[in-house]
Amino acid sequence: MNTGKQFFTALEGLRGIAAIMVMFLHTGGTLGPMPANISYLAVDLFFLLSGVVLAHSYEKPLITGQISPAGFLLQRIIRLYPLYLLSLPIGVFSFALQNGLDYSTLAGLLLKAILFIPSTNLESLFPLNGPTWSLFFELWAGMLFSVLLIRLSLRSLLAIALGTAGMTMYGALAGGNLDIGHQPSYFIFGFSRVLFSFSLGICLYRLYDIQRPTTADNGNRIGLLLCGCLISITGISARAFFGFPYFDFFICLVVFPAIVWIGMHTRQTGLVELLFRWLGRLSYPIYILHAPIFSVLQTLRQMGFDLPASPAAGMAVVIAIFIAAGIVTIRFDEPVRKKLQKMVAPSRISVVPSVGNAGTN
């Protein structure tokens, strides 16, 4: 099985930057007053990257029978669950602070969270950890990938991408932008939103696999430039194009695929490669842990606790999250996943590259 050890490091860097931009979107006033931006589109980049990485790592093994759809799903669960389960106690604590100690409610929410069952009757699909919504849809897309999408032609995949883009546009026109799918009222559009970018990602890898082009010599500069472009794009004010979702779709349909395509044709070396690999390594821990932490801080502030809300104090929290992400990655997530891999496949261990939403692959 393709382990992805020689995979595109530029995409690792992009994934890390995307996770950081999502984290800043969810600071909840910890960094002081910050205007909303379109970093919600980073989730669509996660879906796109997931399509590329899963096609790279699993399409051929699934087609040839080296791994079954059930085995693939097990690999995805091993990749996502350890850190996700680690985040839930923080989410339970935050929810209890906001809503009181109703043990039956908390137990029900915790059980649904563990089973990845969305709460369509509440304000958030996953109230214990809001960003979980993207993991739910990414798992769904992955299951569809393992049983159906791998068997479709490039033309059929492109047709699915464009068709689901149209469905998502319908919801975005009602919502004002592409920031839909995580709300219970727009739940159905989460399926079309993930399938739109996920299918495009598979198409990108299929095209790359056919061409097998040489990599650019100046990959370090190009990779850093792509990350700078991503920061600039996701930093655009959300108010600038609210009510005009066509801009969001242009980003997801043209700009993000172009950035990923260019990144796939580069190779980084030295310190830039090390930086990108660490960004990729920390992207999922940052993505899955930041929201409950910020939620606790925001709730404590609303309860009257005198917590500082300034850029300096907020950056201290952000740095703390980076440090925590590194610690749990090295001391918890990677060792636990390695042990689980040995348990399910003691004679042949395949480490899945990490992506995202959602922040993961």
Side-chain angles (χ1 to χ4, degrees):
M1 184 179 300
N2 192 343
T3 62
K5 291 184 181 295
Q6 191 184 324
F7 194 49
F8 321 101
T9 49
L11 304 193
E12 297 284 294
L14 290 170
R15 180 155 48 85
I17 295 297
I20 293 169
M21 296 305 293
V22 171
M23 176 174 63
F24 280 116
L25 180 67
H26 296 153
T27 55
T30 304
L31 285 166
M34 292 182 63
N37 55 39
I38 63 170
S39 53
Y40 53 81
L41 293 181
V43 174
D44 300 278
L45 179 62
F46 288 145
F47 294 152
L48 182 70
L49 292 172
S50 289
V52 173
V53 172
L54 293 184
H56 168 73
S57 298
Y58 282 112
E59 189 166 63
K60 290 178 182 177
L62 281 165
I63 291 174
T64 58
Q66 290 179 261
I67 186 171
S68 66
F72 168 79
L73 178 59
L74 182 60
Q75 295 282 358
R76 301 305 294 147
I77 290 173
I78 290 174
R79 175 64 187 103
L80 297 176
Y81 256 78
L83 279 178
Y84 172 60
L85 293 177
L86 184 66
S87 75
L88 292 182
I90 309 173
V92 169
F93 178 65
S94 176
F95 190 89
L97 282 178
Q98 298 175 50
N99 302 280
L101 285 173
D102 185 337
Y103 294 106
S104 61
T105 299
L106 289 173
L109 288 175
L110 183 59
L111 179 61
K112 292 178 72 174
I114 292 172
L115 298 177
F116 261 88
I117 299 174
S119 299
T120 55
N121 59 331
L122 298 176
E123 292 183 5
S124 172
L125 291 176
F126 293 90
L128 301 186
N129 191 341
T132 304
W133 74 272
S134 65
L135 302 185
F136 168 81
F137 287 114
E138 189 173 309
L139 272 176
W140 173 84
M143 288 188 287
L144 191 64
F145 164 77
S146 67
V147 298
L148 176 62
L149 300 183
I150 58 170
R151 308 182 190 284
L152 299 181
S153 66
L154 181 63
R155 182 175 298 180
S156 297
L157 285 168
L158 186 58
I160 289 175
L162 295 177
T164 50
M167 293 172 60
T168 311
M169 173 63 81
Y170 178 80
L173 286 170
N177 56 29
L178 198 55
D179 189 20
I180 58 174
H182 58 89
Q183 315 93 326
S185 57
Y186 288 90
F187 174 65
I188 191 65
F189 294 105
F191 293 100
S192 60
R193 184 178 176 185
V194 63
L195 200 52
F196 163 36
S197 293
F198 188 85
S199 299
L200 275 182
I202 301 173
C203 291
L204 285 181
Y205 181 74
R206 293 261 187 101
L207 291 171
Y208 179 89
D209 195 41
I210 292 171
Q211 295 183 359
R212 286 291 178 182
T214 56
T215 56
D217 294 331
N218 53 347
N220 285 359
R221 290 195 297 271
I222 295 176
L224 291 171
L225 179 62
L226 292 176
C227 288
C229 289
L230 179 59
I231 293 172
S232 299
I233 291 168
T234 53
I236 295 173
S237 171
R239 297 178 61 182
F241 294 97
F242 185 80
F244 188 76
Y246 303 102
F247 179 77
D248 288 357
F249 271 87
F250 175 75
I251 297 296
C252 295
L253 186 61
V254 178
V255 178
F256 281 170
I259 288 175
V260 171
W261 181 254
I262 294 171
M264 292 168 70
H265 290 72
T266 66
R267 189 169 185 176
Q268 285 66 47
T269 58
L271 290 177
V272 174
E273 179 186 14
L274 181 63
L275 172 64
F276 282 9
R277 288 193 178 275
W278 266 103
L279 282 171
R281 198 174 175 186
L282 296 181
S283 61
Y284 180 53
I286 290 172
Y287 184 81
I288 202 62
L289 294 175
H290 78 274
I293 293 173
F294 280 123
S295 178
V296 168
L297 294 175
Q298 186 178 15
T299 301
L300 290 174
R301 190 178 295 111
Q302 292 172 348
M303 293 173 64
F305 286 85
D306 188 19
L307 300 180
S310 66
M315 283 307 300
V317 175
V318 168
I319 292 171
I321 290 176
F322 267 96
I323 295 172
I327 292 173
V328 299
T329 296
I330 296 171
R331 296 292 186 180
F332 174 75
D333 183 46
E334 292 177 352
V336 168
R337 286 194 286 123
K338 189 173 294 185
K339 289 181 180 179
L340 291 173
Q341 291 281 357
K342 289 180 180 179
M343 290 172 60
V344 301
S347 62
R348 184 179 62 185
I349 302 172
S350 61
V351 179
V352 185
S354 56
V355 173
N357 163 275
T360 69
N361 269 357

